Amino acid sequence: MDTTSTPTHCPYCALQCGMNILSLPQGGVEVAERPDFPVNRGALCGKGRTAAEVLSPGARLTSPLVRSDGGLVPASWTEALDLIAERLGATRARYGADALGVFGGGGLTNEKAYALGKFARVVLGTSQIDYNGRFCMSSAAAAGTKAFGLDRGLPFPLEDIPRTGCVILVGSNLAETMPPSLRYFRELRENGGTLVVVDPRRTKTAEQADLHLAPRPGTDLALALGLLHLVVAEGRTDEEYIRERTAGWEEARAAAMAHWPEYVERITGVSVPELREAVRLFCEPEAAMVLTARGPEQQSKGTDTVGAWINLCLATGRAGRPLSGYGCLTGQGNGQGGREHGQKADQLPGYRKLDDPAARRHVAEVWGVDPDSLPGPGRSAYELLDALGTDIRALLLMGSNPVVSAPRAAHVEERIRALDFLAVCDVVLSETAALADVVLPVTQWAEETGTTTSLEGRVLLRRRAVAPPPGVRSDLDVLHGLAARLGVEKGFPTDPEEVFGELRRASAGGPADYSGITYRRLAEENGVFWPCPESAEETGETEKTEETQRGTRGASGPVHPGTPRLFLDRFATEDGRARFAAVAHRATAEEPDEEYPLLLTTGRVVSQYQSGAQTRRVAELNAAAPGPFVELHPRLAARIGASEGDPVTVVSRRGRAVAPARITPDIRPDTVFMPFHWPGEGRANNLTNPALDPTSRMPEFKSCAVRVEVRADVRAAPVG
């Protein structure tokens, strides 16, 4: 059978697995393996294998929709764009530019994220832009920037993991969130290395570990400090490394020494022998890593928590050395690139800071505007959503579903309903899009060319493999059309390669420098790691790629090969030294009490993704994970009289959610777990706490006080 194959990447998580899209002679497409891509070597999870199903016209939007008489009805593109421009313009004229909000998504390509940030600041003139990636790894980004002067999810490629001696994996269930990545940890153990997993649940990932630590939710900071205390007490610090490559050790050491093992055991529930064993496994080999994910990061003290885990690496000389380091496992497909290029409230393209005068001048020159015309930093994601319908009167939303994914979701839904005007660009009619005044059907991964940046910092090219259905346009077309209607005729091209060319110029010289990356390079190579200046001579880079060996030159010298491994010579701080964080344990924003005696933690399951807006439309994935559940320890289930499958109600100070009980010994007795992929009565984010980290503005998704009740028709007595 003759088919046309297009190499591309999965639309879901930040692993960005390589895949081939086969265009079938009878019409339609299917996903096939792509063994040449080194990250997944052809392996795909169920989400990746079935990704083509969402391309079907029956699964997605194919016409603009406009609200009329309380419902959404089909409309022309001209009518829809005219209406959006008219309402945004009228709102700005009446209330000012900051009455307009823009909310983006971690699944947008680099080109769309860049154009969206530019549109908000140049066309609308608003400071009120952020994106759902704020809910992903902002705490790790803040801590990494403080410690190293630069944040990139992983400062080394995944291929280094099997060759290190020990990995401490904190708050990540890779077996369900990024299944193809689990082979790196299996290879680690096959090579004689060890895996320590920190998670309040015995997940499928924890089952692979040599040591599983199950702390009480919200106590990861105390756990990291307790491990550092033992490192000091047992004489395992690397004093030469601390002296030559770090700053701030005395203060950080003093803070850690206040967290002695027995004290940490009382806080976390992790026994002293387990703490000592974790330190032994981490410190005995020559190289080791700490990798964090949403568990420690989605806390109201997430930045300090990640900082404490980075301290453990620095004190033992395990950062900026081969096969050692701290890394964050970014979640969303383009969560890394999405914040590097301007969707975030306080950032400009190239990971530049919006309040830096030099950064403003550079980007303004590329954009052809006065630096003083650029607004300052705006609200973070939850704060922006909380201001809808009051300070923010109209919202343009692209590629996000906060009605399901935001903390205190019922409240966020109320705020969205209170808007004067909502326009949504999406592939499907999500729960948020269903509330809009205008919905625009936009292209998705296989229908458009564009770049993404994986959790490794590897910039990748997604290639268009199939034409979108009639009536569907790209987000770049949307921004071009709206900009023209709002008086900005130039600067918003619809060709993604042209947009990327401008992004390269805007990022040049910034922390996330993409200026040496081109579509041609990305098509010929398996991605390029940033930072990648236009010329190797700009950094004195001596490592040569095949291109440089052939003598290929950029505008000012040999082509830069990209930077797979950061910090080997120096950190990205002014003096080249990493910074310790002097942090101490503190309680979560909401501790259990008599009325709410349990802790809720949330997460994902293997067959659904994020808010489920796309995966819930795939029959195979729904059959594997048809709905929400509440995971309970057998002792807790017996105490409240719940049996397997009984509907139980989880109640917090913000709301309630109802789902079947799933009883397992693989969770702490004081903790319940819910996945967050579903709307309706099982919406887990009805319960979660929007208490924000003071630095990253990350909400506390991973810990809040709840009680569990058995429904009256199942058992008459309330919970104990």
mmCIF file of all heavy atoms in Angstrom, residues 37-66:
data_model
loop_
_atom_site.group_PDB
_atom_site.id
_atom_site.type_symbol
_atom_site.label_atom_id
_atom_site.label_comp_id
_atom_site.label_asym_id
_atom_site.label_seq_id
_atom_site.Cartn_x
_atom_site.Cartn_y
_atom_site.Cartn_z
ATOM 1 N N PHE A 37 14.430 8.831 15.913
ATOM 2 C CA PHE A 37 14.483 9.923 16.880
ATOM 3 C C PHE A 37 15.007 9.378 18.203
ATOM 4 O O PHE A 37 14.442 8.434 18.766
ATOM 5 C CB PHE A 37 13.110 10.562 17.067
ATOM 6 C CG PHE A 37 13.149 11.789 17.931
ATOM 7 C CD1 PHE A 37 13.865 12.915 17.544
ATOM 8 C CD2 PHE A 37 12.497 11.829 19.153
ATOM 9 C CE1 PHE A 37 13.931 14.050 18.341
ATOM 10 C CE2 PHE A 37 12.552 12.949 19.960
ATOM 11 C CZ PHE A 37 13.276 14.065 19.551
ATOM 12 N N PRO A 38 16.100 9.958 18.732
ATOM 13 C CA PRO A 38 16.812 9.311 19.842
ATOM 14 C C PRO A 38 16.082 9.309 21.171
ATOM 15 O O PRO A 38 16.395 8.482 22.040
ATOM 16 C CB PRO A 38 18.115 10.118 19.941
ATOM 17 C CG PRO A 38 17.790 11.454 19.342
ATOM 18 C CD PRO A 38 16.794 11.179 18.265
ATOM 19 N N VAL A 39 15.143 10.201 21.384
ATOM 20 C CA VAL A 39 14.526 10.303 22.702
ATOM 21 C C VAL A 39 13.647 9.092 23.006
ATOM 22 O O VAL A 39 13.734 8.492 24.076
ATOM 23 C CB VAL A 39 13.726 11.611 22.828
ATOM 24 C CG1 VAL A 39 12.919 11.635 24.121
ATOM 25 C CG2 VAL A 39 14.677 12.805 22.784
ATOM 26 N N ASN A 40 12.770 8.715 22.074
ATOM 27 C CA ASN A 40 11.865 7.589 22.332
ATOM 28 C C ASN A 40 12.171 6.369 21.494
ATOM 29 O O ASN A 40 11.607 5.297 21.737
ATOM 30 C CB ASN A 40 10.410 8.001 22.096
ATOM 31 C CG ASN A 40 10.143 8.464 20.680
ATOM 32 O OD1 ASN A 40 10.843 9.320 20.144
ATOM 33 N ND2 ASN A 40 9.117 7.902 20.055
ATOM 34 N N ARG A 41 13.053 6.496 20.512
ATOM 35 C CA ARG A 41 13.481 5.360 19.680
ATOM 36 C C ARG A 41 12.296 4.555 19.146
ATOM 37 O O ARG A 41 12.307 3.330 19.127
ATOM 38 C CB ARG A 41 14.409 4.441 20.466
ATOM 39 C CG ARG A 41 15.658 5.122 21.010
ATOM 40 C CD ARG A 41 16.483 4.163 21.837
ATOM 41 N NE ARG A 41 17.375 4.852 22.738
ATOM 42 C CZ ARG A 41 18.033 4.251 23.738
ATOM 43 N NH1 ARG A 41 17.875 2.954 23.952
ATOM 44 N NH2 ARG A 41 18.824 4.945 24.533
ATOM 45 N N GLY A 42 11.264 5.246 18.761
ATOM 46 C CA GLY A 42 10.101 4.587 18.182
ATOM 47 C C GLY A 42 8.989 4.275 19.157
ATOM 48 O O GLY A 42 7.844 4.083 18.746
ATOM 49 N N ALA A 43 9.285 4.203 20.437
ATOM 50 C CA ALA A 43 8.261 3.854 21.425
ATOM 51 C C ALA A 43 7.250 4.989 21.571
ATOM 52 O O ALA A 43 7.616 6.164 21.560
ATOM 53 C CB ALA A 43 8.910 3.558 22.775
ATOM 54 N N LEU A 44 5.981 4.629 21.703
ATOM 55 C CA LEU A 44 4.917 5.601 21.907
ATOM 56 C C LEU A 44 3.958 5.077 22.959
ATOM 57 O O LEU A 44 3.706 3.871 23.044
ATOM 58 C CB LEU A 44 4.149 5.853 20.604
ATOM 59 C CG LEU A 44 4.907 6.526 19.465
ATOM 60 C CD1 LEU A 44 4.097 6.436 18.172
ATOM 61 C CD2 LEU A 44 5.219 7.977 19.795
ATOM 62 N N CYS A 45 3.401 5.993 23.752
ATOM 63 C CA CYS A 45 2.349 5.588 24.687
ATOM 64 C C CYS A 45 1.016 5.563 23.945
ATOM 65 O O CYS A 45 0.920 5.930 22.768
ATOM 66 C CB CYS A 45 2.294 6.529 25.886
ATOM 67 S SG CYS A 45 1.627 8.172 25.516
ATOM 68 N N GLY A 46 -0.044 5.163 24.640
ATOM 69 C CA GLY A 46 -1.351 5.084 24.011
ATOM 70 C C GLY A 46 -1.836 6.414 23.482
ATOM 71 O O GLY A 46 -2.502 6.478 22.431
ATOM 72 N N LYS A 47 -1.511 7.498 24.176
ATOM 73 C CA LYS A 47 -1.932 8.824 23.708
ATOM 74 C C LYS A 47 -1.270 9.144 22.374
ATOM 75 O O LYS A 47 -1.906 9.653 21.454
ATOM 76 C CB LYS A 47 -1.600 9.884 24.759
ATOM 77 C CG LYS A 47 -2.364 9.728 26.065
ATOM 78 C CD LYS A 47 -2.137 10.887 26.999
ATOM 79 C CE LYS A 47 -0.732 10.913 27.569
ATOM 80 N NZ LYS A 47 -0.465 9.804 28.511
ATOM 81 N N GLY A 48 0.023 8.877 22.273
ATOM 82 C CA GLY A 48 0.720 9.143 21.026
ATOM 83 C C GLY A 48 0.226 8.262 19.894
ATOM 84 O O GLY A 48 0.040 8.728 18.765
ATOM 85 N N ARG A 49 0.010 6.981 20.162
ATOM 86 C CA ARG A 49 -0.444 6.054 19.117
ATOM 87 C C ARG A 49 -1.787 6.464 18.532
ATOM 88 O O ARG A 49 -2.070 6.245 17.353
ATOM 89 C CB ARG A 49 -0.551 4.635 19.670
ATOM 90 C CG ARG A 49 0.765 3.916 19.870
ATOM 91 C CD ARG A 49 0.555 2.453 20.212
ATOM 92 N NE ARG A 49 -0.191 2.253 21.452
ATOM 93 C CZ ARG A 49 -1.494 2.007 21.525
ATOM 94 N NH1 ARG A 49 -2.233 1.950 20.425
ATOM 95 N NH2 ARG A 49 -2.074 1.821 22.705
ATOM 96 N N THR A 50 -2.660 7.043 19.381
ATOM 97 C CA THR A 50 -4.019 7.381 18.938
ATOM 98 C C THR A 50 -4.178 8.857 18.599
ATOM 99 O O THR A 50 -5.295 9.317 18.374
ATOM 100 C CB THR A 50 -5.030 7.008 20.033
ATOM 101 O OG1 THR A 50 -4.735 7.757 21.226
ATOM 102 C CG2 THR A 50 -4.984 5.523 20.352
ATOM 103 N N ALA A 51 -3.070 9.596 18.545
ATOM 104 C CA ALA A 51 -3.162 11.051 18.381
ATOM 105 C C ALA A 51 -3.882 11.449 17.094
ATOM 106 O O ALA A 51 -4.529 12.500 17.035
ATOM 107 C CB ALA A 51 -1.766 11.674 18.413
ATOM 108 N N ALA A 52 -3.798 10.635 16.048
ATOM 109 C CA ALA A 52 -4.415 10.999 14.772
ATOM 110 C C ALA A 52 -5.935 11.032 14.849
ATOM 111 O O ALA A 52 -6.585 11.659 14.004
ATOM 112 C CB ALA A 52 -3.975 10.021 13.680
ATOM 113 N N GLU A 53 -6.515 10.370 15.850
ATOM 114 C CA GLU A 53 -7.974 10.340 15.925
ATOM 115 C C GLU A 53 -8.570 11.728 16.155
ATOM 116 O O GLU A 53 -9.693 12.006 15.732
ATOM 117 C CB GLU A 53 -8.434 9.376 17.024
ATOM 118 C CG GLU A 53 -8.180 7.917 16.677
ATOM 119 C CD GLU A 53 -8.943 6.962 17.570
ATOM 120 O OE1 GLU A 53 -10.015 7.341 18.082
ATOM 121 O OE2 GLU A 53 -8.454 5.839 17.759
ATOM 122 N N VAL A 54 -7.832 12.605 16.817
ATOM 123 C CA VAL A 54 -8.366 13.940 17.084
ATOM 124 C C VAL A 54 -8.307 14.816 15.826
ATOM 125 O O VAL A 54 -8.897 15.894 15.789
ATOM 126 C CB VAL A 54 -7.621 14.600 18.260
ATOM 127 C CG1 VAL A 54 -8.262 15.915 18.674
ATOM 128 C CG2 VAL A 54 -7.611 13.664 19.463
ATOM 129 N N LEU A 55 -7.603 14.345 14.782
ATOM 130 C CA LEU A 55 -7.587 15.071 13.517
ATOM 131 C C LEU A 55 -8.896 14.899 12.748
ATOM 132 O O LEU A 55 -9.177 15.652 11.824
ATOM 133 C CB LEU A 55 -6.423 14.587 12.645
ATOM 134 C CG LEU A 55 -5.010 14.811 13.197
ATOM 135 C CD1 LEU A 55 -3.985 14.068 12.350
ATOM 136 C CD2 LEU A 55 -4.691 16.299 13.248
ATOM 137 N N SER A 56 -9.676 13.909 13.119
ATOM 138 C CA SER A 56 -10.923 13.629 12.411
ATOM 139 C C SER A 56 -11.900 14.795 12.549
ATOM 140 O O SER A 56 -12.089 15.325 13.648
ATOM 141 C CB SER A 56 -11.568 12.361 12.968
ATOM 142 O OG SER A 56 -12.899 12.241 12.523
ATOM 143 N N PRO A 57 -12.540 15.205 11.449
ATOM 144 C CA PRO A 57 -13.518 16.303 11.545
ATOM 145 C C PRO A 57 -14.630 16.025 12.540
ATOM 146 O O PRO A 57 -15.176 16.963 13.142
ATOM 147 C CB PRO A 57 -14.067 16.408 10.111
ATOM 148 C CG PRO A 57 -12.964 15.887 9.253
ATOM 149 C CD PRO A 57 -12.322 14.784 10.059
ATOM 150 N N GLY A 58 -14.947 14.756 12.754
ATOM 151 C CA GLY A 58 -15.998 14.432 13.709
ATOM 152 C C GLY A 58 -15.609 14.665 15.151
ATOM 153 O O GLY A 58 -16.477 14.701 16.028
ATOM 154 N N ALA A 59 -14.308 14.835 15.431
ATOM 155 C CA ALA A 59 -13.837 14.986 16.809
ATOM 156 C C ALA A 59 -13.525 16.420 17.167
ATOM 157 O O ALA A 59 -13.198 16.709 18.305
ATOM 158 C CB ALA A 59 -12.588 14.120 17.026
ATOM 159 N N ARG A 60 -13.640 17.340 16.177
ATOM 160 C CA ARG A 60 -13.130 18.681 16.447
ATOM 161 C C ARG A 60 -13.979 19.736 15.773
ATOM 162 O O ARG A 60 -14.909 19.470 15.021
ATOM 163 C CB ARG A 60 -11.675 18.765 16.019
ATOM 164 C CG ARG A 60 -11.327 18.113 14.677
ATOM 165 C CD ARG A 60 -11.404 19.008 13.507
ATOM 166 N NE ARG A 60 -10.445 20.070 13.602
ATOM 167 C CZ ARG A 60 -9.190 19.972 13.189
ATOM 168 N NH1 ARG A 60 -8.784 18.877 12.602
ATOM 169 N NH2 ARG A 60 -8.359 20.992 13.302
ATOM 170 N N LEU A 61 -13.635 20.994 16.068
ATOM 171 C CA LEU A 61 -14.347 22.133 15.496
ATOM 172 C C LEU A 61 -13.920 22.358 14.041
ATOM 173 O O LEU A 61 -12.736 22.235 13.711
ATOM 174 C CB LEU A 61 -14.040 23.389 16.304
ATOM 175 C CG LEU A 61 -14.525 23.419 17.751
ATOM 176 C CD1 LEU A 61 -13.850 24.555 18.504
ATOM 177 C CD2 LEU A 61 -16.035 23.568 17.803
ATOM 178 N N THR A 62 -14.874 22.721 13.196
ATOM 179 C CA THR A 62 -14.558 23.000 11.793
ATOM 180 C C THR A 62 -15.183 24.302 11.291
ATOM 181 O O THR A 62 -15.066 24.626 10.115
ATOM 182 C CB THR A 62 -15.029 21.844 10.890
ATOM 183 O OG1 THR A 62 -16.427 21.634 11.092
ATOM 184 C CG2 THR A 62 -14.263 20.563 11.202
ATOM 185 N N SER A 63 -15.856 25.037 12.167
ATOM 186 C CA SER A 63 -16.462 26.307 11.766
ATOM 187 C C SER A 63 -16.422 27.263 12.937
ATOM 188 O O SER A 63 -16.579 26.852 14.094
ATOM 189 C CB SER A 63 -17.918 26.094 11.332
ATOM 190 O OG SER A 63 -18.578 27.342 11.153
ATOM 191 N N PRO A 64 -16.210 28.573 12.681
ATOM 192 C CA PRO A 64 -16.349 29.542 13.773
ATOM 193 C C PRO A 64 -17.759 29.492 14.349
ATOM 194 O O PRO A 64 -18.735 29.204 13.640
ATOM 195 C CB PRO A 64 -16.087 30.886 13.085
ATOM 196 C CG PRO A 64 -15.283 30.558 11.877
ATOM 197 C CD PRO A 64 -15.784 29.221 11.416
ATOM 198 N N LEU A 65 -17.849 29.756 15.641
ATOM 199 C CA LEU A 65 -19.130 29.773 16.338
ATOM 200 C C LEU A 65 -19.291 31.124 17.024
ATOM 201 O O LEU A 65 -18.340 31.649 17.610
ATOM 202 C CB LEU A 65 -19.197 28.653 17.379
ATOM 203 C CG LEU A 65 -18.990 27.213 16.876
ATOM 204 C CD1 LEU A 65 -18.922 26.247 18.059
ATOM 205 C CD2 LEU A 65 -20.091 26.800 15.911
ATOM 206 N N VAL A 66 -20.492 31.663 16.960
ATOM 207 C CA VAL A 66 -20.814 32.941 17.597
ATOM 208 C C VAL A 66 -22.050 32.749 18.457
ATOM 209 O O VAL A 66 -22.995 32.059 18.053
ATOM 210 C CB VAL A 66 -21.052 34.041 16.538
ATOM 211 C CG1 VAL A 66 -21.594 35.308 17.175
ATOM 212 C CG2 VAL A 66 -19.761 34.340 15.779
#
